Each structure stands twice: as C-alpha cells, then as structure tokens.
Amino acid sequence: RTLVEGISSLNLARRTHEASLRKVGEDALQTMLKWQKISRWNCGHHVALLQAELHYVDGDINSAVAAYKASISSTRAHKFPNFQALAHELYGAFCVENGMV
C-alpha cells in the first residue's frame, strides 16, 4: 500500500503541483527508507522507484533516470518480476513524456 500510494501521489503532484500530494509521496519514501534498513533485498527497489518519481516531480531528469535504472536493476537481480514490470512501465512513461524515445 505504501509504495502504490507514494507513486500515485507523486504522479498526481507532478501534474497538479499540489504540495499535499507531494508530502504523501515523501512520507512513503521515508517509510520505505526505514523498512530498507531491515531488508534492503525487499525494499531497495521500492526506495529507488519512489526516489525516481520524486526526482521527476522536481524536474531532476538525470537523477530520475539513474533511480529508475537502479530500481529496474534491483528488481531483476532479486527476481521481483511484478515490480520490475512496474519500474519499466513508469520509466517508459517518463521517457515518452520527456521526449527520450
């Protein structure tokens, strides 16, 4: 739930510039960072994906690209195909929206 709420909120924040939505995404990232300390294996790719979305909200394209790629790499290495698909989908949308394809 935390990941999906964070991604959804950051996506909406990017489109609406609503500060309260950005806050929900930032809170989700902080929660995932805490969980990552317990299990990087299970939460590292979530952290990277939320960071990518937050960088995208901030307009930091280079950092967003690096974070999307880190999330994709982590999901592949740890064999989380569903989250790998999500990371690819979000990165693909990012690339299209930013004229990278």
Side-chain angles (χ1 to χ4, degrees):
R1 176 178 173 184
T2 301
L3 176 67
V4 174
E5 283 181 356
I7 289 171
S8 299
S9 296
L10 290 170
N11 188 290
L12 287 169
R14 187 176 69 252
R15 297 169 194 276
T16 65
H17 307 286
E18 184 68 40
S20 63
L21 292 168
R22 179 192 173 94
K23 176 80 167 91
V24 172
E26 290 172 338
D27 290 347
L29 176 57
Q30 290 308 310
T31 298
M32 283 294 171
L33 285 166
K34 289 178 193 173
W35 292 349
Q36 180 179 253
K37 291 177 184 175
I38 298 166
S39 179
R40 184 169 185 81
W41 180 277
N42 285 322
C43 298
H45 55 281
H46 295 329
V47 167
L49 197 51
L50 286 166
Q51 287 172 330
E53 289 291 305
L54 189 57
H55 290 311
Y56 191 10
V57 169
D58 292 339
D60 185 350
I61 302 302
N62 292 332
S63 295
V65 167
Y68 282 121
K69 289 181 177 182
S71 181
I72 291 167
S73 177
S74 177
T75 56
R76 182 180 305 120
H78 297 141
K79 300 186 179 9
F80 288 113
N82 294 347
F83 291 116
Q84 184 178 359
L86 176 61
H88 275 288
E89 182 177 347
L90 292 171
Y91 182 47
F94 167 84
C95 289
V96 168
E97 291 169 8
N98 286 283
M100 301 169 113
V101 291

